[in-house]
Amino acid sequence: MLAVIGPLPEQDAAYGYEVKWDGVRAVAYVHRGQLRLMSRTDREITTSYPELAELAAMLGDLPAVLDGELVAYDATGRPSFRTLQDRMHVREPSPRLVATTPVSYHLFDVLHLAADSTLSVPYAERRSLLADLGLDGPRVRTPPWFAGGGPAVLAASLEQGLEGVVAKRLDSPYLPGRRSPYWQKIKNLRTQEVVIGGWRLGEGRRAGMIGSLLLGVPAAAGLQYVGRVGTGFTEVMLRDLLRLLSPLAADGCPFAGPMPGEHTRHARWVRPRLVGEVEYSQWTPDGMLRHPAWRGLRPDKSPADVTIEDGRGGAPTN
């Protein structure tokens, strides 16, 4: 089940509030003492996070399907999507990497328990079922949720430098794979998911590497160009991007409509398969991202999942 972007609900007492942890979703299947982790794109990622095997030990012989968020913390103790990037593309991390960049699994929903589906059970009751499981350990946690009080929860998340909150109707069922207004994301950061359609070669310290990425968002007429991003990268990110984009090389431009000439000069086009995320200041009147900075790849998303998260200004619309 996916959330929509929105403001704080007017019917505050009808909603529960959770912190948005700046990570990526994963569904956990536990059966006969074994854990299987799946991404939102139905890719198995179990071996990428061996430290989360403790979840199966916590549940013992109790089968369950749980929803949650994979989260990494930076040196300040805050959830960091950038830090998580160091683990997201490693299928079998070394013990050293697991020790230096551990990942936690923050649980927020239960979809199946023992022999029973809980999809039709109201959200508030599902959270009670989850709490009763007592799933809190070194790497697996069940963070609290709050019934009502949305403005205070959002203010606290902003004060602590967190991404935002998710408001969920107390009486809502769980709708697998669907985006529903039952869940609403209220964000402190202005971020946008984007599809990579090409890149430009770097200069100076980035000679021979990616200098900037050319970004788009799906619209009615095709992939609409929304600008380029050249900041926010680490060297590891740039190497990973070059490795992933090279096999996607294409002869023609994947963007629909015109692009600024200086952005197309020396461009290397790719098939639009990879999704990433940027932070930005605002949309320009002509539908460009102003001052975007790269946050990282979103392997948990497909291009079809990308929509405008803040449609103000001249942003393209679907």
Side-chain angles (χ1 to χ4, degrees):
M1 185 164 172
L2 308 175
V4 299
I5 293 288
L8 282 168
E10 293 182 4
Q11 295 178 312
D12 180 68
Y15 286 81
Y17 296 89
E18 302 171 354
V19 169
K20 196 171 187 308
W21 293 105
D22 206 13
V24 296
R25 293 278 293 277
V27 174
Y29 297 81
V30 180
H31 185 63
R32 294 181 178 175
Q34 297 294 317
L35 169 66
R36 188 179 183 215
L37 273 179
M38 301 295 291
S39 74
R40 262 205 55 223
T41 53
D42 290 328
R43 182 171 60 92
E44 184 164 357
I45 53 176
T46 312
T47 60
S48 295
Y49 306 101
E51 64 266 53
L52 303 184
E54 70 180 48
L55 175 58
M58 289 176 173
L59 286 168
D61 294 330
L62 180 65
V65 180
L66 307 170
D67 198 353
E69 193 164 6
L70 301 171
V71 182
Y73 290 82
D74 63 18
T76 70
R78 286 196 178 106
S80 169
F81 186 69
R82 172 170 290 200
T83 301
L84 184 61
Q85 292 286 307
D86 294 340
R87 293 290 304 275
M88 288 170 64
H89 312 295
V90 183
R91 180 170 294 180
E92 296 183 358
S94 67
R96 182 175 182 275
L97 180 58
V98 172
T100 57
T101 312
V103 168
S104 297
Y105 189 34
H106 290 195
L107 296 165
F108 56 71
D109 221 322
V110 54
L111 316 185
H112 204 282
L113 194 60
D116 301 317
S117 169
T118 57
L119 297 178
S120 61
V121 174
Y123 163 77
E125 294 181 33
R126 297 200 310 274
R127 286 293 318 213
S128 294
L129 289 172
L130 182 60
D132 289 344
L133 295 175
L135 300 174
D136 280 290
R139 300 264 63 93
V140 175
R141 302 168 185 169
T142 306
W145 67 285
F146 308 89
V153 179
L154 182 62
S157 74
L158 179 60
E159 182 179 351
Q160 296 176 41
L162 300 175
E163 187 185 5
V165 300
V166 183
K168 301 182 177 180
R169 278 196 63 95
L170 297 175
D171 59 355
S172 63
Y174 188 101
L175 306 174
R178 289 174 56 184
R179 194 175 297 277
S180 169
Y182 287 145
W183 290 8
Q184 297 184 42
K185 292 187 289 187
I186 303 96
K187 300 171 72 172
N188 295 321
L189 297 176
R190 186 172 288 186
T191 61
Q192 173 62 48
E193 292 168 3
V194 288
V195 180
I196 302 173
W199 56 278
R200 297 181 66 202
L201 198 62
E203 300 176 350
R205 292 177 55 190
R206 289 193 190 171
M209 294 291 291
I210 292 171
S212 61
L213 297 174
L214 305 176
L215 312 174
V217 171
L223 187 65
Q224 183 164 339
Y225 184 65
V226 295
R228 61 181 176 177
V229 59
T231 62
F233 301 101
T234 65
E235 289 189 13
V236 172
M237 286 180 178
L238 290 171
R239 287 197 296 270
D240 284 343
L241 282 164
L242 190 60
R243 174 178 57 83
L244 293 169
L245 289 173
S246 294
L248 299 177
D251 294 331
C253 172
F255 297 106
M259 295 175 60
E262 66 271 20
H263 291 198
T264 63
R265 193 172 301 116
H266 306 304
R268 312 289 179 88
W269 307 117
V270 299
R271 298 192 300 279
R273 300 289 185 271
L274 294 184
V275 174
E277 185 172 288
V278 297
E279 186 174 350
Y280 68 101
S281 62
Q282 63 184 110
W283 288 100
T284 67
D286 57 349
M288 295 288 140
L289 293 165
R290 189 184 298 278
H291 307 308
W294 185 250
R295 280 170 53 82
L297 284 169
R298 298 298 309 241
D300 58 323
K301 303 290 180 73
S302 70
D305 295 324
V306 176
T307 59
I308 290 295
E309 298 194 11
D310 181 351
R312 289 176 285 182
T317 56
N318 286 323

